[in-house]
Amino acid sequence: MTEFKLTDITPNLTDEDAQQQILSWLHRNPNKQIFSIDEVIGDYLLKNKPPNLETQSGFYKPVTCETVTGSEPFYDAIWYLCSRSILRPYPIREQNELQFPKNFSAKFVITQYGRSWLEKFDTNNCTPSEYGRFSQLLSSRVYLFGDGYNSRSQEAIGCYRSHNYFSCCVMCGSAYESVLLALAIKKKGNEDEILTMYSASQGRSRVENYLIGQKNQFIQKEFRKYTDLLKYWRDDASHGAASSIQEEEAYTSLILLLRFVQFAEKNFAELTSP
């Protein structure tokens, strides 16, 4: 009999990879009320099993999925999803459910909030929950938009992970403004003039108009498609009046920020040309 384990296919599995597999499994099994992490790992192993593994040695050997070796990233991911109130541990019924690497539980239940969360967000794409990967996508543009943009975009991700959704929206809007300033300074060639314009009354709007006011309709439309909500939620979150901003707005702000910096990178030459 051949044992097939995680380290045979993914020796460098991260907790983000594991989280993606867990969420994918939950999407494919929407009627599952209680599940064990062993089920998720077993499913992942079977999906990635090399063809003809049973006969590779020249003899037929049945294959079993060994779900303990290398499974720590799955338990790290499960703990994170529990901390987000998406999952909760199922009451322990057997003593072996506390054995390594399970430690706190082997079975889990999707919370009511978790079901709503899973319905809204597509796990086929990188999400802000995948903090390292999403963080890298944003920080990879620091060479274009500078340290001010980088610090604010990373702070936005940190706020989202700690459930500070108002702060997340403020930081997303601030990161956008850092990109706006970087583009305008590059176009003008004079940092002091742009900062003076920005500091004046209606400064953000004046810098935006300088940057895209004379550009073609496509550039203007795409620019505003990504930035209008960023600015709205940034202003709404930073004011003292009551606001309806919750996780969905913060999530959307982060996605819009990523889409905007990708747009700005793709059209950098056009945006910064005189």
Side-chain angles (χ1 to χ4, degrees):
M1 184 172 293
T2 301
E3 284 191 335
F4 184 52
K5 52 188 179 296
L6 287 167
T7 51
D8 292 331
I9 53 171
T10 51
N12 298 313
L13 185 76
T14 68
D15 58 335
E16 293 180 2
D17 296 326
Q19 180 180 309
Q20 191 74 359
Q21 295 305 318
I22 293 166
L23 295 176
S24 175
W25 188 90
L26 292 173
H27 269 286
R28 289 183 283 109
N29 296 273
N31 297 321
K32 195 78 171 181
Q33 298 297 315
I34 302 166
F35 72 98
S36 74
I37 197 62
D38 289 342
E39 291 180 84
V40 180
I41 295 174
D43 175 76
Y44 178 65
L45 288 170
L46 289 174
K47 286 198 306 180
N48 291 276
K49 185 179 71 172
N52 305 316
L53 181 61
E54 296 89 343
T55 58
Q56 284 183 356
S57 62
F59 300 94
Y60 179 80
K61 290 184 179 181
V63 173
T64 61
C65 293
E66 197 263 271
T67 60
V68 174
T69 304
S71 62
E72 288 86 349
F74 278 88
Y75 287 93
D76 290 343
I78 279 283
W79 184 250
Y80 171 69
L81 292 171
C82 287
S83 74
R84 293 288 309 281
S85 301
I86 294 167
L87 302 176
R88 64 173 172 82
Y90 185 71
I92 295 172
R93 304 297 176 116
E94 299 178 13
Q95 187 62 29
N96 64 7
E97 292 178 348
L98 290 173
Q99 294 177 356
F100 178 85
K102 301 167 185 178
N103 294 330
F104 56 95
S105 182
K107 295 180 181 178
F108 302 87
V109 179
I110 306 174
T111 65
Q112 185 174 356
Y113 165 74
R115 292 197 178 279
S116 174
W117 189 91
L118 286 168
E119 288 175 359
K120 292 177 182 176
F121 303 130
D122 180 7
T123 59
N124 292 320
N125 296 314
C126 179
T127 72
S129 297
E130 301 177 77
Y131 56 95
R133 191 172 302 161
F134 199 89
S135 172
Q136 290 168 11
L137 285 172
L138 288 172
S139 65
S140 64
R141 276 81 181 182
V142 66
Y143 74 100
L144 282 177
F145 307 126
D147 292 334
Y149 151 76
N150 191 53
S151 62
R152 287 165 174 79
S153 63
Q154 299 308 303
E155 184 72 16
I157 295 174
C159 290
Y160 180 82
R161 281 181 55 78
S162 60
H163 303 191
N164 294 313
Y165 302 130
F166 279 78
S167 299
C168 176
C169 288
V170 171
M171 286 296 102
C172 284
S174 295
Y176 154 66
E177 292 184 14
S178 292
V179 175
L180 173 67
L181 288 173
L183 293 169
I185 290 168
K186 179 69 174 179
K187 178 179 179 178
K188 187 72 172 177
N190 188 312
E191 181 176 357
D192 290 339
E193 285 190 35
I194 294 298
L195 292 180
T196 299
M197 184 189 302
Y198 178 69
S199 300
S201 177
Q202 301 295 314
R204 185 176 65 193
S205 296
R206 294 176 64 189
V207 175
E208 287 176 342
N209 185 61
Y210 167 72
L211 184 67
I212 64 170
Q214 302 302 315
K215 300 299 181 183
N216 61 61
Q217 289 299 309
F218 171 78
I219 289 292
Q220 292 189 30
K221 181 179 178 181
E222 289 295 295
F223 188 99
R224 295 191 173 100
K225 179 176 73 174
Y226 298 120
T227 62
D228 281 354
L229 275 177
L230 276 175
K231 293 184 293 183
Y232 176 80
W233 284 328
R234 181 250 193 252
D235 295 343
D236 189 41
S238 62
H239 294 160
S243 172
S244 60
I245 286 176
Q246 296 180 18
E247 179 179 9
E248 187 169 355
E249 286 76 19
Y251 175 93
T252 304
S253 289
L254 282 165
I255 296 297
L256 284 172
L257 177 60
L258 176 60
R259 297 289 181 260
F260 172 67
V261 298
Q262 290 171 333
F263 161 79
E265 179 184 43
K266 181 180 179 180
N267 297 279
F268 188 82
E270 171 66 20
L271 287 167
T272 58
S273 63

